[in-house]
Amino acid sequence: MGWRGILGFEYGVVQAPLGPDISGPELVAAVANSGGLGFLRSPDWEDPDRVRWLIRKTRALTDKPFGIGVVLAFPHEENVKAILEEKIAVLQVYWGECSKDLVFQAHQAGTKIIPQVGSLEDAEKAVAAGVDAIIVQGFEAGGHVIGQ
């Protein structure tokens, strides 16, 4: 199965969900329009209206699949609700538990869910929760290390 079969993008190039002020609609749409998978970054505070705006602005710039990253350690429930209501292609989560309930909610919305993990234990938990893929993080994660 090729990349398109896994997540719906043409090339195996992924633009990470950098800070909210960096991974904006223009960058994400440019990556998506070039055949890669771009990720918006959800704010680190509850702002579902901003999340919807980011998604809709990106959709105005591309008809290709894209995702959004959410740091689960920050308030996120309302943002995730908005993301799933918008039927985003891929939800990437980090710094928190990717629970079976969250995976179920994502799949009910037709959204793929990919946690970023920093340990074998977290990878095994994610697989048990039913995620679609896993991002394995090493020491090179810009200082945001959660495992070895």
Side-chain angles (χ1 to χ4, degrees):
M1 177 184 305
W3 289 105
R4 187 176 299 276
I6 296 170
L7 298 174
F9 61 104
E10 191 171 349
Y11 301 111
V13 176
V14 177
Q15 169 257 306
L18 306 165
D21 55 335
I22 300 170
S23 291
E26 292 79 10
L27 175 61
V28 173
V31 171
N33 288 334
S34 297
L37 180 61
F39 279 94
L40 294 166
R41 166 75 185 278
S42 180
D44 293 338
W45 55 89
E46 293 285 23
D47 193 349
D49 292 335
R50 174 77 175 159
V51 169
R52 288 180 199 284
W53 180 86
L54 288 167
I55 292 168
R56 292 173 183 174
K57 169 87 176 187
T58 307
R59 282 198 174 122
L61 300 171
T62 186
D63 62 353
K64 308 286 189 204
F66 61 92
I68 188 165
V70 175
V71 178
L72 297 176
F74 298 123
H76 64 274
E77 288 82 7
E78 293 301 315
N79 291 345
V80 169
K81 183 178 176 185
I83 290 164
L84 298 180
E85 287 173 355
E86 290 291 325
K87 309 278 188 200
I88 198 79
V90 183
L91 172 61
Q92 188 266 326
V93 295
Y94 181 59
W95 277 6
E97 181 184 354
C98 183
S99 67
K100 286 184 181 184
D101 184 54
L102 180 57
V103 172
F104 177 77
Q105 290 175 40
H107 288 166
Q108 286 294 107
T111 299
K112 304 289 186 192
I113 184 164
I114 304 173
Q116 183 172 331
V117 301
S119 70
L120 177 60
E121 179 183 347
D122 287 343
E124 289 171 340
K125 286 180 185 177
V127 169
V131 300
D132 297 287
I134 296 172
I135 298 168
V136 178
Q137 173 212 15
F139 286 121
E140 74 288 349
H144 301 99
V145 178
I146 60 170
Q148 298 181 17

